[in-house]
Amino acid sequence: MLSGGCQCGAIRYEVRSAPVGLYVCHCTECRKQSASAFGISVIVPAEALALVQGTPSTWSRATDRGTGLDCFFCPDCGSRLWHAPDPAKGKVSVKGGSLDTPVDLGEAVHIWTARRLPGVVIPPSARSFPGEPE
């Protein structure tokens, strides 16, 4: 089981099943939300995500695909916690930096590599896509 929360500790969650995907996203939006060179997305079944403390706020934005993305964050410290890109697909994207135990990026799929920052090295053995995989 994975667990995590926001930077100030007001919000805590658990993921009660194994992740079904792991992405390192190099798109502009992920760089902005993570304030870093890329974003880490741990994909889990929506029903496996359990809020155990606090109440997150939600902000929604459009994606490059033209769909909406609901972004959940702590209203006190602003830490991004997870995204719900398409509720119909039954998955959420937990933000890797909010997890208590860091994930191993060795098996991560790198996406939006056409937008990666200069100097960011993608391992030669990593699966990667210049945009978003279908």
Side-chain angles (χ1 to χ4, degrees):
M1 181 175 68
L2 299 173
S3 62
C6 66
Q7 192 171 8
C8 73
I11 298 183
R12 298 289 305 156
Y13 65 83
E14 293 176 347
V15 176
R16 297 175 177 165
S17 76
V20 296
L22 176 60
Y23 294 97
V24 171
C25 183
H26 299 269
C27 79
T28 305
E29 290 296 329
C30 281
R31 292 197 322 256
K32 285 182 181 180
Q33 68 86 24
S34 68
S36 188
F38 50 79
I40 300 170
S41 296
V42 181
I43 310 303
V44 302
E47 68 273 3
L49 180 65
L51 186 63
V52 296
Q53 177 182 305
T55 304
S57 291
T58 307
W59 174 69
S60 297
R61 68 168 180 84
T63 66
D64 283 347
R65 284 187 164 178
T67 59
L69 180 70
D70 293 332
C71 308
F72 293 80
F73 63 95
C74 175
D76 295 328
C77 68
S79 297
R80 195 73 66 93
L81 301 166
W82 65 83
H83 293 164
D86 186 352
K89 291 185 179 177
K91 296 177 186 165
V92 295
S93 171
V94 173
K95 303 290 76 189
S98 72
L99 291 167
D100 295 335
T101 303
V103 294
D104 179 358
L105 297 180
E107 297 297 318
V109 177
H110 289 253
I111 60 175
W112 289 104
T113 58
R115 296 183 183 173
R116 73 181 165 89
L117 292 177
V120 172
V121 177
I122 297 172
S125 62
R127 286 182 51 216
S128 65
F129 298 86
E132 188 166 339
E134 293 298 321

